Structure formats: C-alpha cells, structure tokens
Amino acid sequence: MAHMYVAFISLLIGGLMGLLQVLVRTGKMTLPFGIDYYQVLTVHGVILALVLTTFFIIGFQYALMSKTVGMSDGERKWAWISFYVMLIGTVVTAVMILLGKANVLYTFYAPLQAHPLFYIGLALVVVGSWIAVFVNLHQFFKWKKQHRGEVSPLLAFMVAINMIIWFISTLGVAATVVIQLIPWSLGLVDEINVLVSRTLFWYFGHPLVYFWLLPAYMAWYAIIPKIIGGKIFSDSLARLAFIMFLLFSIPVGFHHQLLEPGIDPFWKYIQVVLTFAVAIPSLLTAFSMFATFESAGRAKGYTGLFGFMRGLPWKDVRFFAPFVGMLAFVPAGAGGLINASHQLNQVVHNTIWVTGHFHLTLATTVILTFFGISYWLIPVLTGRKLNAHINRLGIIQTIVWSIGMFIMSGAMHIAGLLGAPRRSSYSEYGGSEQAMEWIGYQYAQAIGGSILFIGILLMVYIFVYMTFFAPKGQEEFPMAETAEDALPTPMVFENWKLWIGLAVALILFAYTIPFIDIIQNSPPGSPPFKWPIGYN
C-alpha cells in the first residue's frame, strides 16, 4: 500500500502537468509565476513514466510474490529499505525539477545539464529498485530450493523474469548517471560524450517499456482468466512469451537512434531485426488471451463464431478496464513497428506521432490494466470490498479515459504525420504554412487532455474511496488455474542459467562491437547547456 500511495499521488501531480502542457500548446495559455513549459514537461514525464510505474509495479509484484511463494520478515525489512531509498531519491529529483534546476525532460539527454542532485536522486531510485529486485529473486529462488524438480508458480516466474530484465537494463542508465552525468554536473569534467550517454540511456530506455508492460501481461495471463470464470489457456505459452521478452527486449535500443550519427548502420539493422522479434511474444499473448476468452465463453454454453464474447463480464470493471487496454495495444503495437522500421521511422522521427504512440502504449494499455488491477488489489490490501458504486464509477472512468486518449493520441498521430515536432511548446514557426496545418490538432490534443484529466480525478477519487471508505470485507485475490487439457510445462523453462546466459550473449553480440566503435571514433565532448539560460 505504501507503493500504491506514491503511485496515485504521482498520477494526480503528473496528470495536472500533462493538462497544463496541452493547454500551453494551444498558444492560448501562458504558465503563471515564471514556470517554464519544459519544467512542466519534465515533471510530467519523470513522475508518470518513471515514478508512478516503478512504484506501482514493485508494490504489485510484492503482493504477487507474497501470495505465491511467501515473504519472510527479513525480506519484508529489505523491501521497506528499498521503498525508502526510492522515495528519498524521488523527492530529491522532484525538488530539483520544481526549482527549475532540471529542465531536461524524462530522457535527460546530454548536453542539457541538470543540477547534480537530480542525477543523484535518479541514482537512488535505481539503487532502491535493485534492492527490490534482490528481494523478489531471493523469494523466488528460496521457493525453488524448497521445491526441487517442481514447476514454479506462474506469477512468481513472471515476476522473476521482469526483475531480471529491469536489473540488466538499468545497468546502462546507472553507468551513464554515475560515471558520466554526476561527475560532469559537479564540474569534475568539462565535457561529456553525448553519443555514449544516449546509447547507454536507450540500452535502458526500451527495455523500460517491457518492464511497464509485463506486469500488465501478468494480469492478462494469470488473473483475468479467473475474473471471467475461465482458466489459463496454456501455462507453457505464457512462460515462453516471457522468456522471449527476456531474450529480445534489451538488445534493441538502437531503433531509438536510427537517425543518430556515429552508429554503424549494420548494427542498427541487427537491433531493428531483434526489435521485430519482440512482436512475436505479443502476438502469442494476443492468441492466448482470445483462446482463454473463447474457452470460457464456450464452457458457459455460448455458440457461434463470436458468441463467446457475450459470455464475458462486460459489467465487471476488473475485466473491462484491462480489456480496453488490450484493444488499445493493437494500434499501439502497430505504431511501434512503424517507429522501429528504418524507412518508416524517417517520416515520424522526433514528431509528435511518437508521443501519441507512447500514450497509447503506456498511458492506455499499461495504465488501464494497472487501474483494472487496482479495483481488486486495493480492497485486498485494505480489507475492504469492491462495491457496485465503485464498479459502476470505474466503468465510467474507463470510458472517459478511452475517449480522452482517442482524441488526444489520435490528434498527435495525425499532427506528427504533418510534421509537428515533439518536445516543443506552441510555435507558429514564424507563420510557416506547414505549421498552420497542425495548430488545429493541438486544440484537439487540449480537448482530449482535458477529458483525460477528468478521468484522472475520477481514478484518484476511486482510489481514496477504496482505501478509506469502501465497506469492510474480504475481496478475492484472483489467481487462475491452468486448463485441465493444457500440455504439461517443460522443465527447460526453469533452466535459468540457460535463459539468462542467452540473454547476456545476445546483449554482448548487439552492443560490444558498436560500443567500442562509438568510443574509439567519438567526436569531441560537449560542454554543458542549461535550459532556459543556455551555455553554462
């Protein structure tokens, strides 16, 4: 619950910053008190994409691990240490942003420079999350030791995979923050290698997407089937999908750097191929989920090609919110393939199309699934019940969120195709004719963003109600069983040395030679720049 408090406070603050952004981008509003647009943009990105997600995911995974493999007093103590280290880092980082000392956006690209405490705060968040990684892995492998030769609980297996992905990928961002950015911001070195820092960031930055996504997949695979009265279609397929994410989600960062000079095109091509390989476990998941839906509907007696859809609990927000998230992942995934394609990326690179894609993936697919999880998890943790009032309000909230996101993200996609840039406040570009084409879509983004903020206020109210005011009682912790006719899970999936070894080998293959080349042939380093002052 401590993690959930931080997550939902972040939702409210970050959502307010998002609302201010879209209003400023209409050109009709100016921020008061000298607040800078990029200050607001940095708060929005950091607090929603990094703080909300990380705290929610770690809290959710503690609940899953406690339920499936247990948590000892020692593990609980280390979990609290993890929480406080992350919280201190978050507060330090947030203070620097709010003071206008870190207008560097959530990607904190060099050579824009923030206050040293911004980077130190980020480092504390990462270190705190590593403690959580070791807590979860200790829980998992302690269970494995006590149950030799047995297949591990599916949800615990999934948590272990996600935390291994997180640990391996955060090594990159930790390296650039500790070795490059902190000494540079302290003035210990005069210049920074921009290409190295950006490459290390994206070594982390794309696996981060899967760190967000896999907890949603945990709910889809192993919790939603219970909610709809069905069973897991295939335990083996679920594990295979997660192993494929472990193998292919990390060595793909170059597809964010396709227009970056200084990286050999051959290695960009290799990582684009690996990026497309990541689509396979998502397609497996889509197949598995609709097989689960169909099996559940057929078991209830529904017939016809799509008759099983009538058997799904559309009035249960625990199912409805994640299902809408699943639907959003269809265009979100297609947009991701466009972004990762070298040719198509030329059209949308650094346009607000990318922002629209990001909001479909994280702010719709992932966040709506997190909301769906909250409707049963918060009552479970607080000893309360999900009543009809909140269930109905939750369905309204999901619809409001979906409408707002459809308008805002749709406008971003269209404006991006017309050339509208991302990461910029309102600009007519000196009355440019092309700029006039996308101004109307910025109004649409403001309308959609305003509707979304109403959805945020509704969700915060729902969270407060479920935490403090819902009727006392016992809510079910829904964990599905595997279908009786499913094939047994092969033990090869439990060969952790094999899968982690393959993942490390792929990463070394994809990054070693190009990284050596980047360092050996790097351009001169850059002095720091600070927004909005300029060169420091």
Side-chain angles (χ1 to χ4, degrees), residues 96 114-121 181-182 185-186:
M96 289 300 103
H115 192 280
L117 285 175
F118 172 83
Y119 303 117
I120 292 169
L181 294 168
I182 290 178
S185 64
L186 288 170

Side-chain angles (χ1 to χ4, degrees), residues 421-444:
R422 65 187 297 204
R423 301 191 183 103
S424 66
S425 58
Y426 174 82
S427 175
E428 297 177 303
Y429 281 75
S432 162
E433 185 177 343
Q434 183 183 5
M436 292 301 104
E437 295 178 353
W438 64 62
I439 297 299
Y441 293 104
Q442 292 179 184
Y443 285 103

Side-chain angles (χ1 to χ4, degrees), residues 178-221:
V178 174
I179 299 172
Q180 288 187 288
L181 294 168
I182 290 178
W184 179 61
S185 64
L186 288 170
L188 301 178
V189 294
D190 296 327
E191 298 177 337
I192 190 168
N193 187 317
V194 172
L195 185 54
V196 167
S197 69
R198 206 170 287 196
T199 301
L200 287 171
F201 177 85
W202 283 117
Y203 169 87
F204 153 78
H206 201 82
L208 173 64
V209 175
Y210 300 105
F211 176 68
W212 299 329
L213 189 62
L214 291 191
Y217 276 32
M218 295 174 200
W220 296 359
Y221 271 114

Side-chain angles (χ1 to χ4, degrees), residues 32-370:
F33 312 119
I35 299 172
D36 185 75
Y37 173 82
Y38 296 98
Q39 187 177 355
V40 170
L41 180 53
T42 304
V43 174
H44 176 72
V46 169
I47 207 163
L48 290 186
L50 297 178
V51 177
L52 181 156
T53 52
T54 304
F55 276 88
F56 186 96
I57 290 166
I58 291 176
F60 175 48
Q61 292 184 163
Y62 280 148
L64 294 180
M65 295 299 279
S66 297
K67 191 72 175 176
T68 55
V69 298
M71 177 181 271
S72 67
D73 290 340
E75 290 162 345
R76 191 178 302 277
K77 181 181 75 173
W78 279 104
W80 275 111
I81 292 171
S82 163
F83 171 78
Y84 284 117
V85 172
M86 288 173 59
L87 185 62
I88 291 169
T90 299
V91 170
V92 169
T93 301
V95 168
M96 289 300 103
I97 299 171
L98 294 173
L99 291 176
K101 303 289 187 181
N103 296 346
V104 292
L105 313 191
Y106 100 98
T107 49
F108 50 92
Y109 281 161
L112 282 178
Q113 189 187 80
H115 192 280
L117 285 175
F118 172 83
Y119 303 117
I120 292 169
L122 287 179
L124 286 174
V125 173
V126 172
V127 170
S129 74
W130 284 349
I131 299 172
V133 168
F134 294 126
V135 169
N136 284 158
L137 293 183
H138 186 268
Q139 290 173 282
F140 181 75
F141 286 105
K142 182 178 69 175
W143 186 95
K144 291 277 295 174
K145 190 174 181 180
Q146 295 168 351
H147 300 81
R148 294 186 184 279
E150 296 183 31
V151 176
S152 58
L154 178 59
L155 282 167
F157 176 91
M158 291 173 160
V159 170
I161 290 278
N162 200 34
M163 283 313 223
I164 290 169
I165 291 173
W166 174 255
F167 178 73
I168 295 174
S169 63
T170 49
L171 291 173
V173 73
T176 186
V177 168
V178 174
I179 299 172
Q180 288 187 288
L181 294 168
I182 290 178
W184 179 61
S185 64
L186 288 170
L188 301 178
V189 294
D190 296 327
E191 298 177 337
I192 190 168
N193 187 317
V194 172
L195 185 54
V196 167
S197 69
R198 206 170 287 196
T199 301
L200 287 171
F201 177 85
W202 283 117
Y203 169 87
F204 153 78
H206 201 82
L208 173 64
V209 175
Y210 300 105
F211 176 68
W212 299 329
L213 189 62
L214 291 191
Y217 276 32
M218 295 174 200
W220 296 359
Y221 271 114
I223 290 168
I224 295 295
K226 178 72 171 179
I227 291 170
I228 67 174
K231 295 191 175 181
I232 299 168
F233 173 70
S234 171
D235 180 279
S236 301
L237 190 148
R239 291 175 197 260
L240 175 63
F242 270 64
I243 286 171
M244 292 183 75
F245 278 119
L246 172 62
L247 296 180
F248 297 123
S249 67
I250 301 173
V252 297
F254 284 170
H255 83 245
H256 287 268
Q257 299 174 272
L258 289 176
L259 295 185
E260 194 96 56
I263 300 174
D264 190 292
F266 172 76
W267 293 104
K268 292 179 181 178
Y269 170 76
I270 292 293
Q271 295 206 17
V272 164
V273 171
L274 292 172
T275 303
F276 276 76
V278 183
I280 297 172
S282 292
L283 293 172
L284 292 177
T285 302
F287 170 81
S288 179
M289 291 315 305
F290 278 88
T292 300
F293 297 156
E294 182 167 2
S295 300
R298 302 282 185 228
K300 294 175 184 176
Y302 290 93
T303 59
L305 185 60
F306 295 108
F308 68 90
M309 298 292 285
R310 298 200 304 274
L312 298 175
W314 298 105
K315 294 183 180 180
D316 187 339
V317 71
R318 299 174 303 163
F319 164 75
F320 182 68
F323 183 82
V324 174
M326 290 181 205
L327 292 182
F329 200 50
V330 177
L337 294 177
I338 290 169
N339 295 341
S341 166
H342 195 283
Q343 292 83 352
L344 294 175
N345 181 68
Q346 308 290 316
V347 179
V348 300
H349 186 82
N350 262 347
T351 70
I352 203 166
W353 159 287
V354 179
T355 314
H357 160 74
F358 188 78
H359 281 81
L360 275 184
T361 307
L362 172 61
T364 312
T365 297
V366 172
I367 292 299
L368 280 182
T369 302
F370 286 3

Side-chain angles (χ1 to χ4, degrees), residues 482-513:
T482 305
E484 293 85 355
D485 57 351
L487 294 173
T489 303
M491 286 305 295
V492 69
F493 290 156
E494 298 286 347
N495 191 336
W496 289 89
K497 291 180 181 177
L498 171 64
W499 303 120
I500 294 173
L502 283 174
V504 171
L506 268 174
I507 293 165
L508 292 175
F509 167 69
Y511 272 103
T512 303
I513 293 175

